[in-house]
Amino acid sequence: MRVVFLGAPGVGKGTQAEQAATRLAIARISTGDLLRAGVAAKLPLGLEAKRYMDRGELVPDNVVIGLVDNKIGSPECRKGFILDGFPRTVPQADSLSDILRKRRWALDRVIHFVIPREAVVTRLTGRRSCPHCAAVYHLDYRPPKREGRCDACGAALAQRSDDTKDTVESRLAVYEAQTAPLIDYYRKADVLADLDGMGSVEDVRARLFALLPGV
Ligand code: AMP
């Protein structure tokens, strides 16, 4: 299965992608996580990307397209994958088509996560994540068992530098201008399914699975 999760930052794509990929035994490709790993490892690509990420802007298309092309070609993606946070622009979507076409693969579905704007701001500003294993929590909706510590690996939780109120506003504006046009792009291609992203993680997961082909 090859699927794209599309939606504004904070709609729950990452949480659902993590769980669905495990359950379906396919890969999760999060361009945000790949870029943050590049930042943590102080790779030249990561350091270049950080300048954009800290401002809530998109990293240049050629950088993320290269990352995704590379990852899709790796053995872990052979059985399928969920793309979480890619594509985010029309040129990225066009490149994804090319990347899939050269492997004679098709995109099975694009899941469009929908939640109201106010809920996005609350979700992002309360989000905390583990810098060590990338597990994600929320101060109110998904608190860790021990305050400030990751349930999975015990590391100290941190707020992403781009989850502050001002940067969240910029990221939402960028989403509207550059990523939202992909809703029509994929609707026209007849692969888009809208998913109500409100409610508990379990409720959303149940609705998500009903939309995935062959699950
Ligand atoms: P995310 O973890 O998906 O919210 O991504 C965090 C940040 O990484 C974004 O605000 C962008 O700066 C950058 N980023 C992630 N994915 C992409 C992408 N597909 N295109 C451009 N920039 C991206």
Side-chain angles (χ1 to χ4, degrees), residues 31-32 35-36 53 57 59 64 85-86 88 92 160 171:
T31 39
L35 291 166
R36 279 183 291 276
M53 296 167 81
E57 292 169 9
V59 172
V64 278
F86 181 95
R88 263 169 148 108
Q92 289 181 20
R160 271 172 48 174
R171 288 164 66 200

Side-chain angles (χ1 to χ4, degrees), residues 1-3 20-21 24-29 71-72 74-83 100 105-106 108:
M1 185 182 327
R2 298 174 195 98
V3 186
L24 301 170
I26 57 177
R28 168 190 173 215
I29 308 175
K71 194 79 181 176
I72 282 182
S74 70
E76 65 179 294
C77 289
R78 232 171 264 151
K79 279 168 60 191
F81 51 80
I82 299 174
L83 276 166
L100 293 175
W105 286 346
D108 296 306

Side-chain angles (χ1 to χ4, degrees), residues 23-199:
R23 173 138 159 220
L24 301 170
I26 57 177
R28 168 190 173 215
I29 308 175
S30 155
T31 39
D33 281 356
L34 291 174
L35 291 166
R36 279 183 291 276
V39 174
K42 298 197 166 53
L43 300 179
L45 171 151
L47 298 179
E48 189 200 342
K50 189 173 178 349
R51 291 191 288 133
Y52 297 93
M53 296 167 81
D54 282 347
R55 290 196 297 256
E57 292 169 9
L58 294 184
V59 172
D61 285 337
N62 62 325
V63 175
V64 278
I65 290 167
L67 280 178
V68 169
D69 193 9
N70 213 5
K71 194 79 181 176
I72 282 182
S74 70
E76 65 179 294
C77 289
R78 232 171 264 151
K79 279 168 60 191
F81 51 80
I82 299 174
L83 276 166
D84 163 16
F86 181 95
R88 263 169 148 108
T89 63
V90 170
Q92 289 181 20
D94 289 339
S95 296
L96 176 61
S97 300
D98 295 342
I99 290 170
L100 293 175
R101 197 175 309 118
K102 79 180 176 200
R103 298 189 161 86
R104 297 180 196 283
W105 286 346
L107 190 58
D108 296 306
R109 186 101 356 135
V110 175
I111 305 288
H112 171 218
F113 286 64
V114 187
I115 73 168
R117 196 179 200 280
E118 316 78 73
V120 166
V121 176
T122 314
R123 284 192 188 188
L124 287 178
T125 51
R127 178 160 73 175
R128 296 294 179 272
S129 52
C130 176
H132 185 63
C133 74
V136 180
Y137 301 87
H138 190 280
L139 294 181
D140 302 320
Y141 310 130
R142 202 188 183 193
K145 293 195 184 79
R146 195 149 60 98
E147 200 184 321
R149 293 276 161 187
C150 178
D151 293 348
C153 72
L157 299 180
Q159 182 176 39
R160 271 172 48 174
S161 57
D162 58 351
D163 275 348
T164 54
K165 181 102 177 55
D166 285 351
T167 313
V168 163
E169 293 294 340
S170 318
R171 288 164 66 200
L172 286 175
V174 165
Y175 173 78
E176 285 305 328
Q178 302 197 54
T179 310
L182 294 182
I183 299 168
D184 264 359
Y185 178 106
Y186 283 122
R187 209 184 292 284
K188 284 195 186 113
D190 215 16
V191 283
L192 192 93
D194 293 307
L195 170 68
D196 175 5
M198 290 303 281

